[in-house]
Amino acid sequence: MKISFLGRPLITFVTVYLIFSLVIVPIVAPIFGREKVKHINNIYPVNYMTVLLNRNYVRPDLNKMLQNTAKELENTGIYIHYLDANFPFMDSFPLLPHLSHSDGKKIDVSLIYETPEGIISSSQKSMSGYGVFEPPKTKEFNQIAICLKNGYLQYDFPKYVTFGKINKNLSFSDAGTKRLIQGFLKSNLLGKLFIEPHLKQRLRLNNTKVKYHGCQAVRHDDHIHLQLK
């Protein structure tokens, strides 16, 4: 089959990129103190584009925290589905709209969802893992409205990066998400955990490591942000 003129550069780029990602990057990353997120039975990326884009590199201590929490969650039906971590080289650019994620000490993980019968699911509500929010209920504190009212229009930007909403039958799992967060909070490697204030209130997360990220970031009622000390 004859390859078009435009097809040849594309094939060359893909080949070079795959060699770079699969061979060169894993060798060079440890020089910058990074390693791939280790996939075990209950640790997976939400979308494998994260892996293809090399956004799955972290500091060894962050990997250790993920692994220890995953072991504690065995047989609970709760999976650690990670979204964006870091590029493998030192002080690299964060993936928009992130302000951080440039030092290998941060990673986003998915909220936990359940079926209408209350059974914990390993599935997501969007293709990217971002952008499907669990908004405040009527009597809950509404930080989102405050940020948007004060001109921080980027605050709910993730609604534009769902890459498609899926599994509309699933709903946010209070118990599952709280159990996941409690697992991370037990780690002495954890420095901060960001989640939206109304979810902190709803899940009764009183640990001082659970922080508010500020209006200058994006809302965190579609994912959880973890970072090392």
Side-chain angles (χ1 to χ4, degrees):
M1 183 176 66
K2 195 172 182 179
I3 300 174
S4 70
F5 176 76
L6 292 175
R8 290 173 186 171
L10 179 60
I11 291 172
T12 300
F13 171 78
V14 170
T15 302
V16 171
Y17 183 81
L18 288 176
I19 292 172
F20 174 77
S21 296
L22 299 177
V23 179
I24 298 175
V25 168
I27 295 173
V28 176
I31 298 173
F32 297 95
R34 312 287 204 276
E35 61 185 25
K36 288 183 180 181
V37 175
K38 296 175 182 176
H39 298 170
I40 58 175
N41 290 338
N42 54 348
I43 298 180
Y44 292 105
V46 168
N47 190 308
Y48 274 91
M49 282 301 295
T50 302
V51 176
L52 288 175
L53 294 174
N54 292 304
R55 299 292 309 181
N56 61 322
Y57 282 80
V58 294
R59 300 280 182 178
D61 276 350
L62 185 46
N63 236 342
K64 187 184 298 184
M65 182 176 73
L66 293 171
Q67 299 288 309
N68 290 342
T69 304
K71 288 178 182 177
E72 185 176 320
L73 294 172
E74 285 180 351
N75 303 317
T76 64
I78 297 173
Y79 285 66
I80 297 173
H81 281 112
Y82 69 90
L83 293 86
D84 181 51
N86 180 227
F87 199 66
F89 304 134
M90 185 175 292
D91 297 330
S92 58
F93 58 90
L95 184 69
L96 292 174
H98 288 134
L99 298 176
S100 58
H101 288 234
S102 61
D103 57 7
K105 295 181 179 181
K106 289 108 177 173
I107 193 169
D108 290 341
V109 299
S110 174
L111 304 176
I112 304 299
Y113 300 98
E114 61 185 33
T115 67
E117 295 74 32
I119 299 171
I120 296 292
S121 173
S122 62
S123 297
Q124 305 299 308
K125 296 282 286 179
S126 78
M127 294 296 293
S128 69
Y130 291 109
V132 176
F133 305 121
E134 177 58 24
K137 295 181 179 179
T138 303
K139 294 184 179 181
E140 291 177 338
F141 181 67
N142 193 336
Q143 182 65 54
I144 297 100
I146 293 173
C147 289
L148 293 175
K149 183 179 179 180
N150 287 322
Y152 294 94
L153 301 182
Q154 89 294 338
Y155 201 65
D156 62 354
F157 175 83
K159 67 186 179 184
Y160 300 114
V161 294
T162 63
F163 302 136
K165 296 180 180 180
I166 54 177
N167 300 314
K168 294 181 180 180
N169 63 310
L170 297 181
S171 58
F172 176 73
S173 174
D174 288 15
T177 301
K178 183 173 183 176
R179 180 70 182 83
L180 173 66
I181 291 173
Q182 287 175 329
F184 288 124
L185 290 174
K186 289 181 180 179
S187 175
N188 59 10
L189 296 171
L190 180 68
K192 296 178 183 178
L193 184 153
F194 294 155
I195 196 167
E196 205 62 38
H198 67 273
L199 293 182
K200 177 179 180 178
Q201 174 189 355
R202 187 186 307 176
L203 301 181
R204 299 180 182 178
L205 299 170
N206 299 317
N207 193 297
T208 56
K209 292 181 180 180
V210 181
K211 306 285 188 181
Y212 175 57
H213 42 280
C215 284
Q216 75 281 357
V218 295
R219 59 192 287 183
H220 283 63
D221 54 352
D222 61 340
H223 71 280
I224 302 162
H225 169 101
L226 309 170
Q227 65 184 65
L228 296 175
K229 290 181 177 178

